[in-house]
């Protein structure tokens, strides 16, 4: 199991976030949608979003959230969230985060998230035996797991792209092809506009000359 992304927020105001360097994708964008569905009351919950899982804890109005790639394992992510929650409170207390502006803690606390994420993602066989993780056994039994689609309005769901090189390359290719098609389309549109204006000007000149020359026979101009 790998924790790919984590953040700390007050409501939808993100105070600090960090993405694992081995992962790429649009999950920060998707997370903003998830945050809009997190109730502003203390609690914890797990949302399943495509093949990934968003776990969160809300305490004192502050949300601690992470995304992992394992649908059935919740103990380690919640241990990780409790760990960064305790470190966040130790650094900033309970009052300062209530009025902080977006990303005001990011420079310092993203480093903490990075270090703890690396630790919890390590292959250390002893990590599952630390008290923080073992203490989650009973707690996660009561955590509600829900598919995100049940709480999203129609049209709110964004396709989640995570560390899929082929898919991202395919998207880049489609974007490049679409750009070329758009450029070609704009070229012909400009060409038609210029051609139309040229023909219109030529027609106006022709009518003006014909009118000055006594009509289409141009008999006044032949004298």
């Amino acid at each position: 199991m790998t924790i790919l992304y984590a953040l700390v927020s007050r409501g939808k105001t993100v105070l600090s976030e960090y993405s694992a360097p081995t992962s790429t994708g649009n999950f920060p964008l998707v997370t903003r949608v998830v945050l809009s569905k997190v109730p502003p009351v203390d609690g914890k919950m797990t949302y399943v979003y495509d093949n990934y899982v968003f776990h969160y804890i809300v305490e004192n109005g502050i949300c601690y959230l992470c995304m992992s790639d394992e649908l059935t394992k919740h103990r380690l992510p919640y241990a990780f969230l409790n760990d960064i929650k305790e470190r966040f409170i130790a650094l900033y207390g309970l009052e300062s985060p209530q009025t902080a502006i977006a990303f005001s803690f990011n420079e310092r606390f993203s480093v903490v998230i990075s270090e703890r994420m690396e630790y919890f993602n390590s292959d250390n066989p002893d990590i599952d035996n630390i008290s923080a993780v073992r203490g989650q056994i009973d707690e996660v039994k009561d955590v509600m797991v829900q598919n995100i689609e049940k709480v999203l309005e129609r049209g709110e769901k964004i396709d989640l792209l995570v560390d899929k090189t082929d898919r991202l390359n395919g998207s880049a290719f489609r974007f490049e092809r679409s750009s070329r098609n758009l450029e070609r389309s704009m070229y012909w549109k400009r060409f038609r506009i210029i051609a139309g204006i040229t023909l219109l000007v030529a027609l106006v000149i022709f009518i003006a000359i014909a009118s000055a020359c006594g009509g289409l026979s141009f008999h006044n101009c032949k004298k």
Side-chain angles (χ1 to χ4, degrees), residues 18 31 44 68 70 84 94 96 138 145 171 199 207 221:
Y18 177 78
T31 302
K44 59 178 64 177
S68 68
E70 179 58 67
I84 64 170
L94 299 176
S96 179
D138 293 329
V145 179
S171 297
L199 289 174
I207 293 174
C221 295

Side-chain angles (χ1 to χ4, degrees), residues 42-202:
D42 289 3
K44 59 178 64 177
M45 190 168 180
T46 293
Y47 283 132
V48 177
Y49 201 119
D50 294 339
N51 294 322
Y52 297 88
V53 187
F54 289 88
H55 310 273
Y56 74 79
I57 295 174
V58 176
E59 189 171 298
N60 298 314
I62 303 300
C63 178
Y64 307 87
L65 179 146
C66 70
M67 186 185 85
S68 68
D69 59 0
E70 179 58 67
L71 297 178
T72 59
K73 294 182 180 179
H74 308 312
R75 193 155 52 105
L76 200 64
Y78 278 107
F80 166 74
L81 290 177
N82 274 306
D83 184 90
I84 64 170
K85 179 191 71 175
E86 292 172 1
R87 294 172 188 273
F88 185 82
I89 293 173
L91 280 173
Y92 304 110
L94 299 176
E95 295 184 4
S96 179
Q98 301 302 325
T99 56
I101 62 175
F103 294 102
S104 56
F105 301 141
N106 199 54
E107 182 176 357
R108 182 178 182 184
F109 200 70
S110 62
V111 177
V112 176
I113 298 176
S114 169
E115 293 173 349
R116 303 314 295 165
M117 187 181 293
E118 182 179 357
Y119 174 74
F120 278 88
N121 283 338
S122 68
D123 294 327
N124 186 345
D126 295 329
I127 194 168
D128 201 50
N129 293 321
I130 63 175
S131 59
V133 177
R134 297 183 64 182
Q136 297 300 314
I137 295 177
D138 293 329
E139 290 187 31
V140 298
K141 291 179 181 177
D142 299 324
V143 172
M144 182 177 179
V145 179
Q146 187 173 30
N147 193 301
I148 191 66
E149 294 182 359
K150 292 184 178 180
V151 297
L152 293 180
E153 301 293 335
R154 180 175 297 180
E156 277 189 306
K157 191 172 187 295
I158 302 171
D159 288 339
L160 182 58
L161 305 175
V162 180
D163 200 24
K164 293 184 180 294
T165 305
D166 292 339
R167 184 173 176 181
L168 291 174
N169 286 341
S171 297
F173 173 75
R174 288 194 296 272
F175 176 76
E176 183 179 355
R177 184 175 59 185
S178 298
S179 298
R180 288 199 301 267
N181 291 339
L182 178 61
E183 184 178 356
R184 190 179 299 114
S185 175
M186 293 299 295
Y187 169 80
W188 285 111
K189 184 177 181 179
R190 288 193 299 269
F191 177 81
R192 287 193 295 271
I193 292 174
I194 294 172
I197 292 174
T198 302
L199 289 174
L200 181 61
V201 171

